[in-house]
Amino acid sequence: RRIFTHEEEDREEILFSDLTHGKDVILDGEITRGNEKSNTMGFDYQGHILTCLPESGSIVKFKPSLFLNCRIHGSISRRDENGGLNSKKPKIIFRHIDLLESDSDEQSLF
């Protein structure tokens, strides 16, 4: 019977309920992936991977931040696939990223 219902989806908890839609945030974590095709990055925050999208432009300029600890500045989106504000997992629309560790002298990516 579970095959034909969405009971499990309905039981999911809202992840990081304090991160409400439109809220400006500054979060520390690690960039774990970059996908140029979808123009998204994965951000490991408190053991969860959150999807991040740049406010403008391409993620290509943020490649130096991959696999490094950083501080991301942006706002929270709770938009779901249907355009509503019901997403259980927040997304980060980011403006810039500050590196907290570095392989080079670069410490802030715009």
Side-chain angles (χ1 to χ4, degrees):
R1 185 165 183 216
R2 287 188 203 170
I3 296 172
F4 302 105
T5 64
H6 299 289
E7 290 177 23
E8 194 165 318
E9 288 178 21
D10 294 339
R11 289 186 289 186
E12 283 184 40
E13 276 186 43
I14 293 178
L15 188 60
F16 302 117
S17 59
D18 57 319
L19 299 178
T20 57
H21 182 77
K23 181 178 182 177
D24 285 335
V25 293
I26 299 172
L27 304 173
D28 291 351
E30 180 182 333
I31 302 293
T32 60
R33 67 166 180 81
N35 185 327
E36 291 179 37
K37 191 170 186 174
S38 64
N39 202 36
T40 61
M41 298 175 85
F43 182 68
D44 185 352
Y45 176 69
Q46 296 183 3
H48 295 275
I49 307 298
L50 303 180
T51 301
C52 300
L53 303 101
E55 191 172 71
S56 63
S58 171
I59 64 161
V60 173
K61 64 183 172 184
F62 298 100
K63 273 189 171 183
S65 65
L66 279 173
F67 311 114
L68 296 175
N69 289 317
C70 61
R71 182 169 289 137
I72 194 164
H73 301 254
S75 60
I76 299 299
S77 173
R78 288 278 182 175
R79 289 217 183 274
D80 59 21
E81 308 83 42
N82 302 320
L85 300 178
N86 301 316
S87 179
K88 301 205 182 294
K89 191 172 185 180
K91 292 182 182 80
I92 303 170
I93 311 301
F94 67 92
R95 290 181 286 282
H96 71 274
I97 296 173
D98 295 325
L99 298 178
L100 299 178
E101 64 178 330
S102 176
D103 291 335
S104 68
D105 294 333
E106 190 67 38
Q107 289 296 315
S108 182
L109 302 173
F110 303 104

